């Protein structure tokens, strides 16, 4: 367990979980030991978590001066940790009450910050206090839960000014999206992990200079993620959105089905959102209510090309092709819903993937772009070009299903063991459509107006004659089959790029 001395000589402890770029994590409570973070739902697989025990908590020493428990005094402990770690700039994550601490750190030391992640953060000291009505509205969302009546009664007691330890314990189910055994065990540890005296001194009685802090945050030059829980009442999603609006470079996300500890409620959703934000090579956009992650290459002013991956793939599948195309194009490769670092909503179809492409093009103002789609992504691109011809400037379909009924039909697939980089529900959903596709998809091929190239893999399982037939149905469509398997752009990237160049792309 590493220890360092902070500005007044107090020895503070921190815990390292995982490997990779450090992410300084500040625990809430206020003044709860950092061990409640665990591995943040598996985020430690992508970043090294530096879990700080704030002074007087966990394995950190008790300071000589209790006044140093004040939130604004703790800011310099965070700065001392950054210097101790030898980081020129730090990525900082603050949860709950330490969301406010992290914001104060950003306001005081903006040049020492690389990114700021605020997870269900406190908002009161920034002029946006959670209200009793916020908490009642959030509680009402859980009215169907078996524990609701008792928890609501406890909340009413607290809001009536009759707070007791029993009442505070009674409202714990509201702070988790799933009040299961794991959540109950996590909640039960809270009293033993929290320094009550330090927590009582965390918020200064004389308040803070909110106006100056907010003014500094409005000028903050670094990216900020504000992550709210759908069921959280402190902050509610509305209050968290108001907080995000203070920052000039903020991304705001509401995690569905989550409350105050989103990494407990849906670890995968939490990790995908935070990992996408922290990765400098990944951006995200809200498109049609779904957060879509994407990667870019090339100059922003160059002609745009959109790359759409196949089933179980991701934007990373396109890296080699994207790097070549970036010499003359601005290249965007997205993760479809249910894949990679995008949201996994659990419902999938070719039409939903078409809608992802549509929403992405509109959100990024890319009307008229060249769209290149592989397999499932190719089917989505076809459907988009049929429904919205003006959105697509040119179309390349790589070894995509021809949306003729499979003969024989596919048998139900068995999920492989272990964690996957995509939502397994995609497989049965798409297999069902491949077995019995909507005939309208092939009936409207003649309505595509964009120049179209269909590229097949001569060694692919996809019927090349059917691909040639598909190209014939598109006015002016061309077909070329190259020596490759189904993953044409990966098996034979040079031949794939040659075909693109002959088509006028690249």
């Amino acid at each position: 367990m590493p220890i360092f001395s902070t500005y007044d000589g107090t020895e503070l402890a921190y815990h390292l979980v995982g490997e990779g770029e450090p992410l300084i994590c500040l625990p809430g409570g206020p003044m709860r030991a950092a061990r409640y973070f665990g591995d943040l739902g598996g985020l430690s697989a992508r970043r090294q978590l530096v879990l700080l025990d704030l002074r007087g908590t966990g394995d950190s020493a008790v300071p000589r001066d209790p006044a140093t428990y004040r939130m604004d005094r703790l800011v310099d402990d965070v700065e001392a940790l950054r210097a101790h770690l030898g980081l020129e700039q730090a990525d900082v994550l603050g949860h709950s009450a330490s969301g406010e601490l992290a914001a104060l750190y950003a306001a005081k030391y903006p040049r020492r910050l690389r990114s700021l992640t605020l997870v269900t953060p406190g908002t009161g000291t920034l002029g946006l206090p959670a209200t009793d009505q916020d908490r009642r509205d959030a509680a009402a969302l859980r009215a169907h839960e078996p524990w609701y009546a008792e928890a609501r009664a406890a909340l009413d007691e607290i809001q009536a000014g009759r707070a007791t330890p029993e009442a505070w314990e009674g409202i714990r189910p509201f702070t988790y999206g799933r009040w299961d055994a794991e959540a109950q065990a996590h909640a039960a540890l809270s009293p033993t992990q929290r320094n009550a005296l330090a927590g009582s001194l965390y918020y200064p009685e004389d308040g803070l200079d909110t106006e100056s802090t907010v003014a500094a945050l409005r000028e903050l030059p670094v990216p900020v993620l504000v992550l709210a829980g759908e069921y959280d009442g402190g902050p509610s999603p509305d209050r968290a959105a108001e907080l995000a609006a203070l920052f000039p470079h903020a991304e705001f996300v509401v995690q569905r089905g989550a409350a105050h500890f989103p990494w407990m409620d849906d670890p995968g959703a939490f990790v995908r959102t935070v990992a996408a934000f922290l990765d400098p090579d990944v951006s995200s956009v809200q498109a049609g209510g779904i957060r879509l992650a994407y990667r870019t290459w090339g100059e922003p002013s160059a002609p745009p090309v959109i790359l759409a991956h196949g089933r179980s793939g991701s934007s990373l599948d396109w890296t080699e092709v994207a790097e070549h195309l970036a010499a003359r194009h601005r290249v965007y490769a997205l993760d479809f819903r249910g894949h990679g670092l995008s949201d996994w909503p659990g419902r999938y179809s070719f039409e939903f993937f078409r809608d992802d492409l549509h929403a992405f093009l509109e959100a990024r103002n890319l009307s008229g772009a060249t769209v290149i789609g592989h397999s499932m992504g190719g089917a989505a691109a076809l459907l988009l070009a049929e429904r919205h011809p003006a959105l697509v400037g040119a179309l390349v379909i790589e070894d995509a299903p021809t949306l003729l009924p499979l003969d024989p039909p596919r048998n139900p697939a068995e999920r492989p063991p272990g964690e996957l980089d995509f939502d397994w529900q995609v497989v049965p959903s798409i297999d069902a459509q491949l077995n019995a596709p909507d005939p309208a998809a092939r009936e409207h091929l003649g309505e595509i107006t964009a120049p179209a190239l269909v590229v097949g893999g001569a060694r692919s399982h996809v019927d090349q004659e059917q691909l040639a037939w598909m190209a014939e149905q598109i006015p002016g469509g061309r077909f070329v089959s190259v020596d490759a398997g189904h993953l044409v752009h990966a098996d034979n990237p040079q031949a794939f790029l040659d075909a693109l160049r002959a088509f006028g792309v690249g």
Side-chain angles (χ1 to χ4, degrees):
M1 175 189 61
I3 293 176
F4 69 101
S5 292
T6 187
Y7 66 92
D8 63 350
T10 304
E11 291 192 333
L12 303 183
Y14 61 95
H15 309 269
L16 299 176
V17 182
E19 298 181 355
E21 285 286 316
L23 173 64
I24 295 176
C25 301
L26 308 178
M31 305 304 284
R32 183 174 176 180
R35 67 176 65 96
Y36 81 92
F37 276 135
D39 65 356
L40 277 177
L43 186 61
S44 60
R46 296 176 179 270
R47 298 294 294 263
Q48 182 180 65
L49 308 182
V50 183
L51 308 179
L52 175 64
D53 281 338
L54 299 174
R55 55 178 57 214
T57 72
D59 294 311
S60 288
V62 173
R64 286 188 292 270
D65 182 3
T68 60
Y69 286 134
R70 287 172 49 126
M71 183 199 318
D72 51 339
R73 300 284 294 276
L74 295 173
V75 166
D76 288 320
D77 288 344
V78 181
E79 173 58 9
L81 175 58
R82 179 206 62 79
H84 166 75
L85 295 172
L87 301 173
E88 185 67 24
Q89 293 182 309
D91 295 313
V92 175
L93 179 150
H95 171 243
S96 191
S98 275
E100 293 161 291
L101 170 59
L104 291 182
Y105 178 79
K108 186 172 182 179
Y109 295 104
R111 295 183 180 179
R112 295 303 189 185
L113 193 66
R114 186 165 67 175
S115 72
L116 181 63
T117 302
L118 303 178
V119 179
T120 59
T123 57
T125 58
L126 301 176
L128 302 166
T131 67
D132 286 350
Q133 189 62 50
D134 288 341
R135 298 187 188 281
R136 287 194 293 269
D137 290 345
L141 297 175
R142 318 299 294 281
H144 62 285
E145 301 279 6
W147 46 260
Y148 173 76
E150 289 185 26
R152 181 57 192 261
L155 178 64
D156 291 343
E157 285 293 295
I158 293 171
Q159 293 193 341
R162 296 186 292 273
T164 63
E166 293 75 20
W168 286 113
E169 183 176 350
I171 65 170
R172 285 180 184 168
F174 288 129
T175 60
Y176 295 85
R178 294 179 293 106
W179 189 235
D180 55 14
E182 185 179 6
Q184 292 171 36
H186 188 264
L189 291 172
S190 179
T192 66
Q193 295 172 342
R194 187 170 177 267
N195 183 331
L197 171 62
S200 70
L201 299 173
Y202 184 78
Y203 294 103
E205 288 187 5
D206 54 354
L208 296 170
D209 187 353
T210 298
E211 186 175 344
S212 295
T213 300
V214 169
L217 296 180
R218 291 190 185 279
E219 302 296 325
L220 191 67
V222 304
V224 177
L225 171 66
V226 178
L227 193 157
E230 179 185 11
Y231 296 147
D232 199 6
S236 66
D238 285 346
R239 208 67 60 226
E242 292 174 353
L243 174 63
L246 297 180
F247 301 98
H249 307 289
E251 177 183 345
F252 173 60
V253 175
V254 176
Q255 184 171 315
R256 302 301 175 192
H260 201 59
F261 300 90
W263 66 92
M264 297 285 298
D265 300 325
D266 187 341
F270 176 81
V271 169
R272 286 188 293 274
T273 298
V274 178
F277 169 73
L278 292 174
D279 190 332
D281 295 326
V282 176
S283 301
S284 294
V285 65
Q286 290 289 333
I290 300 292
R291 184 187 57 82
L292 297 177
Y294 65 97
R295 300 170 190 272
T296 56
W297 296 260
E299 293 297 321
S301 60
V305 170
I306 316 301
L307 303 177
H309 64 78
R311 188 171 74 177
S312 79
S314 76
S315 54
L316 288 171
D317 295 350
W318 292 104
T319 301
E320 183 176 357
V321 167
E323 289 173 348
H324 280 87
L325 293 177
R328 296 187 178 181
H329 298 274
R330 176 65 164 180
V331 182
Y332 300 80
L334 77 156
D335 290 344
F336 279 115
R337 67 177 71 199
H339 294 79
L341 296 178
S342 290
D343 284 347
W344 294 15
R347 296 178 62 232
Y348 307 102
S349 68
F350 287 125
E351 290 75 17
F352 280 138
F353 297 129
R354 173 202 64 199
D355 294 343
D356 285 348
L357 273 177
H358 184 189
F360 181 77
L361 286 166
E362 291 198 333
R364 302 304 305 152
N365 194 27
L366 296 172
S367 177
T370 296
V371 179
I372 302 174
H374 170 245
S375 193
M376 179 192 79
L382 274 173
L383 295 179
L384 178 65
E386 290 177 352
R387 174 167 285 195
H388 301 285
L391 272 179
V392 180
L395 181 65
V396 179
I397 305 301
E398 177 195 345
D399 218 56
T402 55
L403 300 180
L404 294 164
L406 290 182
D407 184 19
R410 266 183 201 172
N411 293 321
E414 183 175 340
R415 187 191 188 284
E419 292 189 13
L420 302 175
D421 292 331
F422 68 101
D423 188 348
W424 175 253
Q425 185 56 42
V426 172
V427 173
S429 298
I430 294 304
D431 277 354
Q433 283 196 288
L434 290 173
N435 286 338
D438 183 351
R442 54 186 181 273
E443 291 170 358
H444 293 289
L445 289 171
E447 298 175 16
I448 295 175
T449 60
L453 172 67
V454 178
V455 180
R459 294 181 276 107
S460 170
H461 66 276
V462 176
D463 189 316
Q464 300 298 288
E465 292 184 2
Q466 289 186 2
L467 285 176
W469 170 86
M470 177 194 293
E472 291 174 359
Q473 309 312 303
I474 302 172
R478 310 183 206 173
F479 171 69
V480 58
S481 183
V482 302
D483 182 23
H486 181 54
L487 277 163
V488 180
H489 67 270
D491 287 350
N492 196 338
Q494 189 57 57
F496 183 73
L497 289 166
D498 288 344
L500 293 184
R501 276 190 288 271
F503 183 60
V505 178

